[in-house]
Amino acid sequence: MNGTATALAHANIAFSKYWGKRAYVGNYPAVPSLSLTLDAMTTRTRVTFDGSLDGDRLTLGGAAQSGRPLERVSALLDRVRAAAGVRAAADVVSHNDFPTAGGLASSASGFAALALAAARAAGLDWSVERVSDLARRSSASAARSLYGGFVELDAGPEQPTDAPLAARTLVPATDLDWRLLVVAIGDAKKDVSSSDGMIRTAEGSPYYAAWLEVAPRLHAEVRAALLARDFERFGAAAEKSALAMHASAFAAGVVYWQAATLEVLAAVRALRARGTAAFATMDAGPHVKVLVRPEDAAVATAWLRAVPGVGRVLEARGADGARLVDAEGGAVA
Ligand code: DP6
């Protein structure tokens, strides 16, 4: 068996945050989430099953990987091998078009591209739902990157299950042009991964129960505002979701922010005070992502670039979901 396939997937940023897993196995989220798939950050991954290999191989941005990153990739490949009746090991070659060292890397685009390429390389003609479920079992945010535009992922059921759980598009990228300014902050020091951060929050935060209680309500608010195309209501609820997530993490000693993170949050509030609708969200790192209307993007970018400690400011817009490409990057019919 020597199947090969290449897939491309974009990162996504959640407005209603996934933070916390169900206690049973299978990587089911404890709360629902809603994100936008972004054009600015792309992963391209080629998977080749090769009967002559001794074991799986992973190359990321030209560097051979071992340890945890390779184990997580092999776990996904094992599921694909079991479903397809394939025994061969795989060679996985992956590139990000954004710097991984600065903490902006996202497992979402990586596992979305890997799931799609691996399933196809093994000869599985799976629906996007099945590939999304496969990606979710490795990294729940990756389930969302299979889809384009504004995407929702439900919480897993309360009772243990092994049933499929895939994401879905709520509003396609072409229907709504809201922009996200990715404000890069700080040195390249290694963050606590999302997986570890949420496990430490669940185990050690006195406010984790409060987060589990409020997250579905904030999600419902974000979702309703999106469907009503109400930018200000959407942004306000999204900012609350991010702050509540980080507050629960802080109380377990999981602190992702740096001084400049707070400076940017203050700058976003100042933008609002002078009449520009702008709302912030933060993930498992110091960077801030600022939601703006397209007509405000240039002014807000200049404003945020002037904040001390801010590096690059990248303007992202909605993108399509993951897709298969040929080795040169062209679309596969
Ligand atoms: C803060 O999807 O990286 O970005 O399922 O353990 O791989 P695992 O976690 P991951 O968590 C993402 C957390 C977040 C919020 C979000 O994207 O919803």
Side-chain angles (χ1 to χ4, degrees), residues 12 14 16-19 21 27 33 72 107 138-142 144 194-195 198 245 283-284:
N12 70 74
S16 147
K17 298 293 185 192
Y18 151 53
W19 195 251
K21 301 167 188 288
N27 204 40
S33 58
R72 284 184 83 179
S107 59
S138 292
S139 183
S141 59
R144 301 186 310 240
S194 308
S195 304
M198 62 180 83
M245 172 205 128
D283 296 302

Side-chain angles (χ1 to χ4, degrees), residues 19-43:
W19 195 251
K21 301 167 188 288
R22 292 296 189 202
Y24 51 86
V25 292
N27 204 40
Y28 290 80
V31 296
S33 58
L34 192 158
S35 59
L36 177 61
T37 303
L38 297 174
D39 66 348
M41 298 183 271
T42 308
T43 301

Side-chain angles (χ1 to χ4, degrees), residues 9-239:
H10 300 290
N12 70 74
I13 299 293
F15 298 106
S16 147
K17 298 293 185 192
Y18 151 53
W19 195 251
K21 301 167 188 288
R22 292 296 189 202
Y24 51 86
V25 292
N27 204 40
Y28 290 80
V31 296
S33 58
L34 192 158
S35 59
L36 177 61
T37 303
L38 297 174
D39 66 348
M41 298 183 271
T42 308
T43 301
R44 177 191 307 278
T45 300
R46 188 191 69 210
V47 176
T48 307
F49 287 100
D50 180 346
S52 71
L53 290 175
D54 289 342
D56 295 328
R57 279 197 320 218
L58 170 64
T59 311
L60 189 53
Q65 305 288 312
S66 57
R68 184 108 198 275
L70 178 60
E71 283 165 22
R72 284 184 83 179
V73 164
S74 285
L76 186 148
L77 293 169
D78 285 344
R79 287 192 189 95
V80 169
R81 280 187 281 255
V86 168
R87 295 175 55 169
D91 181 43
V92 178
V93 180
S94 191
H95 292 276
N96 292 324
D97 76 348
F98 51 93
T100 42
L104 269 172
S106 156
S107 59
S109 55
F111 280 105
L114 175 68
L116 185 57
R120 177 56 68 100
L124 297 169
D125 193 15
W126 278 4
S127 66
V128 62
E129 287 81 7
R130 264 190 106 167
V131 179
S132 173
D133 176 67
L134 172 68
R136 178 195 53 74
R137 289 171 194 270
S138 292
S139 183
S141 59
R144 301 186 310 240
S145 274
L146 266 305
Y147 297 86
F150 291 87
V151 178
E152 179 176 49
L153 178 65
D154 294 338
E158 282 179 31
Q159 295 308 316
T161 182
D162 196 42
L165 178 67
R168 68 181 80 85
T169 293
L170 288 179
V171 176
T174 44
D175 279 22
L176 196 55
D177 186 13
W178 290 352
R179 303 280 168 90
L180 205 63
L181 307 176
V182 180
V183 182
I185 285 169
D187 48 38
K189 95 171 170 334
K190 182 97 187 70
D191 298 318
V192 176
S193 73
S194 308
S195 304
D196 291 346
M198 62 180 83
I199 290 164
R200 280 170 57 182
T201 303
E203 286 171 352
S205 174
Y207 302 137
Y208 182 60
W211 162 251
L212 293 181
E213 210 255 317
V214 77
R217 274 190 276 134
L218 290 173
H219 175 80
E221 174 71 3
V222 167
R223 185 184 207 280
L226 172 67
L227 297 180
R229 308 290 197 268
D230 186 335
F231 180 84
E232 309 228 351
R233 186 178 161 206
F234 179 88
E239 201 172 284

